[in-house]
Amino acid sequence: CTETIIRQVGDIGRMVDEFSAFARMPTPRFAETDPAEMLRQAVFAQRVASPEMVVEMDDAPQGQVLTCDERMVGQALANILKNAAEAVSARNLAAGEGRIHAALRREGETLSFVVEDNGVGLPARDRDRLTEPYVTTREKGTGLGLAIVKRICEDHGGELALGDAQSLSGARVTLHFPTARRTAAPEMKEAAHGG
């Protein structure tokens, strides 16, 4: 029986690896987008999905432009807001007590989407492993949500930061993106053309 279980676990592991290879992330298609509108749409969708929570958004700085794949970054925002809602739901708060706060911030050449909640917060241990595939703290989680968000950020030359909320009592997730698309360094291009 033990040998059978070990063999089947190995088979499942291989199937998962093959699924991961099959489900590769698409190459981003870059275009200029309005990051404030992207965040507004994601917040609106989360309000509809979680009517028992207060989902709010700061007034975004006007006239911002982000060169990105709008569909992919929109998916990342949806994942982060969904995670926040699940963390709030896990506290079993009365209707209207759960809160999610979203904001768009500009610092120099970086645009950041910031989402805070008053949910259960991030675990004290192994916090840095939460962005690894198949690592999750939820019973029904697949462990792919944050891994996908991290990959989207990295494909855009940005980064994902996890921390404790500053204005609420739960978690703070920040997606940092460069305002201009990063291209290869000039010497890299010359080398590629044999120059």
Side-chain angles (χ1 to χ4, degrees):
C1 287
T2 304
E3 287 174 7
T4 302
I5 292 169
I6 290 170
R7 188 176 67 247
Q8 288 183 341
V9 167
D11 290 345
I12 291 168
R14 279 189 294 281
M15 284 171 52
V16 166
D17 290 342
E18 288 169 10
F19 176 78
S20 297
F22 175 75
R24 296 219 189 284
M25 296 289 291
T27 302
R29 294 182 180 180
F30 291 91
E32 289 190 351
T33 61
D34 179 350
E37 184 56 29
M38 289 171 61
L39 185 57
R40 271 192 287 276
Q41 289 177 12
V43 165
F44 175 77
Q46 194 58 55
R47 281 182 184 142
V48 172
S50 306
E52 74 285 1
M53 296 177 198
V54 177
V55 184
E56 55 194 359
M57 175 180 162
D58 281 354
D59 289 336
Q62 296 300 307
Q64 300 300 317
V65 175
L66 180 62
T67 303
C68 68
D69 184 312
E70 186 172 0
R71 188 180 58 80
M72 291 176 75
V73 175
Q75 180 61 53
L77 291 172
N79 283 7
I80 294 305
L81 287 162
K82 179 175 174 283
N83 280 359
E86 289 173 357
V88 171
S89 292
R91 287 191 59 200
N92 295 316
L93 299 169
E97 288 185 8
R99 296 177 68 84
I100 299 172
H101 187 98
L104 178 67
R105 304 267 187 263
R106 170 83 185 246
E107 290 179 22
E109 297 302 305
T110 302
L111 266 174
S112 302
F113 297 98
V114 183
V115 176
E116 290 193 350
D117 62 65
N118 67 342
V120 293
L122 299 171
R125 291 183 55 200
D126 295 331
R127 187 177 283 195
D128 54 332
R129 293 194 61 226
L130 292 176
T131 58
E132 294 176 15
Y134 312 112
V135 175
T136 184
T137 58
R138 298 196 178 95
E139 271 183 49
K140 296 182 181 178
T142 61
L144 287 173
L146 285 177
I148 289 170
V149 172
K150 181 182 181 188
R151 175 71 184 274
I152 289 170
C153 288
E154 289 173 347
D155 284 352
H156 285 75
E159 65 178 353
L160 169 66
L162 305 178
D164 296 319
Q166 296 175 3
S167 61
L168 296 172
S169 58
R172 177 185 180 99
V173 179
T174 310
L175 283 61
H176 298 288
F177 292 98
T179 52
R181 183 178 171 199
R182 294 189 178 145
T183 55
E187 60 271 16
M188 297 281 288
K189 287 182 183 172
E190 288 174 17
H193 294 294

